[in-house]
Amino acid sequence: MLTMEEMSGALQPQGEAEGRVAIGADPLLMEQRLGRLIREARYRYPKVTVSPRQLSAHNAAESVARGETQLAVVAFEDGADTLPDDLTVEKLPALTLVPVASPALAATPVTDAQRPVRVLTVNADCAGHLPLVRILRSRYGVDPAVIEAGSVGGVRELARAGYGLAMIPPDDSLAAQGLQIVPGVPHAELDVRLVYSRADHLGRADRSIAELIRRMPAPTPAECAGDAPYSVELDKLLAS
């Protein structure tokens, strides 16, 4: 005799995904990629509800292991962070970040001793500010203060007000936002990973959304004022 769950499944169209999928993402990816994913999921899988939750690379593994999120999309600096072997980890297109500031601050050399150098970030667990801090220390001998703004919107607002430098995903509206790419400072690329439990532990809806994440096109390469992307290896070569 069929259970109620089996009967419900038998009445559903074959292959149709439905249910709720909790997806964790760090703040920068939440802004740049999750919105696009949710729109695509609504179109392709109208019976699937995508529930986004903000997390960091540091707690992504715990969130997935506890079942708080079925999938996590997180960014790491140079792949330095490691994840437990009992989780499945897939590489996704890198996240490009560009250094921005208010036009007045962008025009002031970072080595100007007359002004304090501040780097803006969402919080201490967000990896976006780490490349900029390393660049300023290794290339310019500047040890910046790191200011936590609490959100990506807060980072943009403080940068627009001239309070500090920030690393954010590039887009065509920077000028309209009152921001300008800082010349002479390289852009950065963070490693991005899709994290989940074993594939055979995922439901139909989870697998469908995971496949959408894999198929999302890489963001268009940004014009980054002619500066090559920052890398720890390049800085080591320049210092030798």
Side-chain angles (χ1 to χ4, degrees):
M1 185 173 180
L2 293 177
T3 65
M4 290 297 294
E5 182 177 352
E6 290 170 334
M7 290 175 62
S8 176
L11 293 173
Q12 295 174 17
Q14 187 65 30
E16 185 177 8
E18 67 175 280
R20 180 179 297 273
V21 181
I23 302 180
D26 62 46
L28 292 171
L29 290 167
M30 181 79 73
E31 179 185 79
Q32 192 203 44
R33 300 190 187 179
L34 262 289
R36 191 154 42 114
L37 173 68
I38 291 172
R39 289 192 297 272
E40 185 71 12
R42 284 174 178 167
Y43 173 74
R44 292 183 177 273
Y45 304 109
K47 293 186 177 181
V48 174
T49 300
V50 174
S51 178
R53 301 183 183 183
Q54 184 169 300
L55 46 72
S56 72
H58 301 295
N59 58 24
E62 182 179 1
S63 177
V64 171
R66 288 184 174 182
E68 298 168 349
T69 54
Q70 285 71 57
L71 309 168
V73 184
V74 288
F76 302 90
E77 187 193 22
D78 296 317
D81 292 72
T82 57
L83 291 162
D85 292 336
D86 58 344
L87 295 178
T88 303
V89 181
E90 298 181 20
K91 187 173 183 177
L92 297 175
L95 174 65
T96 298
L97 302 175
V98 293
V100 301
S102 66
L105 194 58
T108 306
V110 294
T111 53
D112 188 339
Q114 299 301 312
R115 68 146 205 219
V117 179
R118 305 183 186 93
V119 170
L120 308 172
T121 186
V122 175
N123 55 52
D125 290 331
C126 183
H129 70 287
L130 298 177
L132 182 54
V133 171
R134 295 185 191 279
I135 291 167
L136 294 172
R137 287 174 178 167
S138 62
R139 296 195 178 185
Y140 302 101
V142 175
D143 191 15
V146 177
I147 307 299
E148 298 182 23
S151 67
V152 177
V155 167
R156 293 179 188 272
E157 198 62 40
L158 289 177
R160 181 165 44 244
Y163 194 70
L165 310 177
M167 293 291 263
I168 62 174
D171 61 53
D172 296 331
S173 65
L174 287 178
Q177 297 176 50
L179 297 172
Q180 181 175 314
I181 293 178
V182 181
V185 178
H187 66 279
E189 291 184 350
L190 298 182
D191 292 332
V192 179
R193 299 289 186 268
L194 169 63
V195 183
Y196 55 92
S197 185
R198 286 171 33 188
D200 57 352
H201 288 181
L202 297 179
R204 182 184 297 170
D206 306 327
R207 295 194 301 272
S208 299
I209 300 303
E211 188 58 29
L212 272 187
I213 293 172
R214 295 185 192 101
R215 293 184 179 185
M216 287 183 69
T220 303
E223 294 295 333
C224 299
D227 297 307
Y230 166 75
S231 73
V232 174
E233 290 74 15
L234 178 58
D235 260 358
K236 289 178 180 177
L237 288 173
L238 291 173
S240 60

